Amino acid sequence: MGKKVGLTLDNVIDVAATIADRDGLEAASLRAVADELGIKTPSLYNHVAGLAGLRRELALHAARQMSEVVAEAAGSDTPEEILRRTARSYRRFALDHPGLYSALLPAPKPGEDDDLYAAMAAPVTTLADTLVAAGVDEQQTTHLIRTLRAVVHGFIDLEMKDGFGMPEEVDVSFERSVDLVIEGVLSGAK
Amino acid sequence: MGKKVGLTLDNVIDVAATIADRDGLEAASLRAVADELGIKTPSLYNHVAGLAGLRRELALHAARQMSEVVAEAAGSDTPEEILRRTARSYRRFALDHPGLYSALLPAPKPGEDDDLYAAMAAPVTTLADTLVAAGVDEQQTTHLIRTLRAVVHGFIDLEMKDGFGMPEEVDVSFERSVDLVIEGVLSGAK
DNA sequence: TGACACTGACTAACGGCATTAGTTATAGTG
DNA sequence: CACTATAACTAATGCCGTTAGTCAGTGTCA
């Protein structure tokens, strides 16, 4: 039968990411990915360490893309604008790639998977630098970043899982949520 | 063999909730619940509509408990204090019952499961009433509640999935996040 | 060029889980 | 006391992940 199809890890990840974004992370099973690639499930083990490995690769893939997206947003004028654009980009990525975004949680423990941990920490680090550069007290940044992350992630998660009743004006709500927090963060402890 | 063990729906839910809170929602499988109850998996179908049905019952159970918890917090003096206590109670419930809290998402679509929808809407409705009573413009409450829910849920979700790097002072961060948002919400558009 | 190891596909088999269909004994009701 | 509904059961199917063992094509090196 078919031998040496010439499959690469990137190939596997791309297919898995597509399925995850289309049908949800759960749907990106080894079976589904293998079928889509035209191979049998066990053959995937030559590229990926089982389902857990596939999930890990997806998380890494997502973290890298997210880092790029967030890095692009860092090229603005004022700190407010940087934070606003970062938040918007973050949400846009999540809505465009719900499967990949889901793969981003849970995070690994600090000592457990250094590569993944570093990749996931990158956007947060960028944000931290921005805040410090804006004159925010370094002691406070930890708390402030947590607030920002909480608002943005919470909003996205509720939005994706349909936790909001009325479907309209969600964009407006997001803008207001982000503005409110940014304002509070930058004025409160400068 | 053993017949008529005298099992009730509440029994099933209690066991499932215990497993979910101890080992995670995923671990509350039909198999695990049946084993714990001393019956075989198919027998559960006499009490619950499969795994989806069990999850639905867990969500309903969680929503009712959450409503109680939130309702208790509504008995404070100032609107600020009500909101603060509500946020704290919400988080405490999530940390005490991580499995049940997970079952609370995703929410059903408005027309899909009216009982569950109503149960899950109750805490939000309580909050909305509180805000309006505090003099917040009714037009704005939708946005404001979304902000509050986003911060609280986002914080909890990141906390539970270990999305925060440093383990210490998470309580402090939560208080600051909530205070910041409450302040902004109540002062911004009163 | 030809032997040879490596790679990456395969088949076979197992175990966990959810689900459905069909069976049977118990418990409550007339 | 018979009858019916209930709530347990067994048996069987299918999906999924995983492991072990097999085998053919690919590239390398003497």
Side-chain angles (χ1 to χ4, degrees), chain B:
Chain B
M1 311 303 173
K3 300 271 167 160
K4 295 288 180 183
V5 185
L7 216 54
T8 72
L9 176 59
D10 285 338
N11 241 299
V12 174
I13 296 174
D14 279 351
V15 165
T18 301
I19 296 174
D21 283 339
R22 177 168 29 93
D23 304 324
L25 183 60
E26 303 297 314
S29 60
L30 294 184
R31 184 67 134 75
V33 172
D35 280 356
E36 184 73 27
L37 288 167
I39 61 175
K40 297 302 169 68
T41 308
S43 305
L44 278 176
Y45 283 75
N46 290 316
H47 302 279
V48 139
L51 182 63
L54 179 65
R55 292 273 168 84
R56 190 256 181 193
E57 295 299 333
L58 279 178
L60 200 53
H61 185 67
R64 289 201 232 271
Q65 281 191 238
M66 186 65 96
S67 291
E68 278 182 34
V69 165
V70 168
E72 279 177 20
S76 293
D77 302 338
T78 66
E80 284 90 342
E81 199 55 29
I82 290 175
L83 292 174
R84 219 188 313 271
R85 286 189 53 191
T86 300
R88 282 188 197 137
S89 300
Y90 199 89
R91 173 164 172 255
R92 193 174 315 272
F93 177 83
L95 295 184
D96 288 346
H97 302 283
L100 284 180
Y101 186 78
S102 301
L104 235 33
L105 292 180
K109 307 281 180 290
E112 178 176 286
D113 185 339
D114 290 340
D115 285 355
L116 180 56
Y117 187 81
M120 292 181 59
V124 177
T125 306
T126 302
L127 224 84
D129 293 348
T130 303
L131 283 177
V132 172
V136 174
D137 177 40
E138 204 154 354
Q139 304 273 0
Q140 309 278 359
T141 49
T142 300
H143 296 305
L144 302 184
I145 288 175
R146 283 176 178 170
T147 305
L148 282 167
R149 291 185 65 197
V151 171
V152 173
H153 167 65
F155 199 97
I156 291 167
D157 203 47
L158 289 176
E159 184 179 12
M160 291 198 328
K161 291 168 181 163
D162 226 346
F164 294 129
M166 5 218 65
E168 294 141 8
E169 304 181 19
V170 176
D171 289 349
V172 176
S173 291
F174 182 74
E175 293 293 324
R176 295 209 190 174
S177 294
V178 170
D179 283 353
L180 186 151
V181 170
I182 290 177
E183 213 171 293
V185 159
L186 289 183
S187 73
K190 77 115 204 318

Side-chain angles (χ1 to χ4, degrees), chain A residues 39-101:
Chain A
I39 62 174
K40 299 302 169 71
T41 308
S43 304
L44 278 177
Y45 283 76
N46 290 316
H47 303 278
V48 139
L51 182 63
L54 179 64
R55 291 274 168 84
R56 190 254 180 193
E57 294 298 332
L58 279 178
L60 200 54
H61 185 67
R64 288 202 234 270
Q65 281 191 237
M66 186 64 97
S67 291
E68 278 183 34
V69 165
V70 168
E72 280 177 19
S76 294
D77 302 338
T78 67
E80 285 90 343
E81 198 56 28
I82 290 175
L83 292 174
R84 221 189 311 272
R85 286 189 53 190
T86 300
R88 281 187 196 137
S89 301
Y90 199 89
R91 172 164 173 256
R92 193 175 315 273
F93 177 82
L95 296 183
D96 288 346
H97 303 283
L100 283 181
Y101 186 78

